[in-house]
Amino acid sequence: MVKLRMGGISLPSRVLGDRAAPRFGELRILDTDDQGLRRPVKLARLMEHGSPVIRETLLEPRILWCGDGRFTLTGFERIRNRNGEIVEYAQSWLCEIDFSPPPEAPRETLRAAPYKDR
């Protein structure tokens, strides 16, 4: 995932490689309750692989474009400013899908109970 805006301002495509470091993880989209807005909201979260750690969050995500194993999500990024106030900026993410198979788990960790037909 690469952020396409900084502080709500679109980054020119020629500087995306310089300023926007790609972030890697698992993308999850879910509905939840927002205590600040006091209503249900949709969230897109970039999670660390195999971990509950949230790296990035996008509020009210929408897919703008999809093709060639990539897609663009747009929504709002919520941060705290220098005064500690919560500020929301327009944000877009360019996401690339990793189609490579996951690494195979070690054989000793694969366990299954035998199926018993009653």
Side-chain angles (χ1 to χ4, degrees):
M1 181 273 286
V2 173
K3 288 184 177 186
L4 300 178
R5 295 174 179 264
M6 186 176 289
I9 300 169
S10 292
L11 294 172
S13 59
R14 66 184 180 346
V15 299
L16 280 176
D18 298 336
R19 292 189 190 172
R23 292 161 177 85
F24 301 93
E26 298 173 8
L27 180 65
R28 297 183 188 166
I29 299 176
L30 59 127
D31 288 322
T32 187
D33 291 326
D34 186 298
Q35 300 302 316
L37 297 176
R38 295 189 179 117
R39 66 175 174 85
V41 295
K42 187 171 292 294
L43 297 176
R45 288 184 172 158
L46 185 69
M47 313 286 290
E48 281 191 21
H49 284 291
S51 169
V53 175
I54 301 168
R55 300 192 69 185
E56 300 287 343
T57 300
L58 191 65
L59 298 159
E60 300 297 345
R62 292 184 305 125
I63 295 177
L64 287 183
W65 171 84
C66 181
D68 300 324
R70 299 184 306 164
F71 60 95
T72 303
L73 284 178
T74 188
F76 299 93
E77 178 179 32
R78 183 181 288 167
I79 63 169
R80 288 196 182 272
N81 65 12
R82 292 178 183 159
N83 299 328
E85 302 163 322
I86 295 176
V87 181
E88 292 178 359
Y89 292 104
Q91 183 58 270
S92 295
W93 293 355
L94 176 60
C95 302
E96 186 169 346
I97 300 169
D98 182 6
F99 289 108
S100 62
E104 190 172 319
R107 301 293 287 164
E108 63 272 4
T109 63
L110 300 176
R111 298 191 183 163
Y115 176 76
K116 294 182 181 177
D117 193 11
R118 293 182 190 179

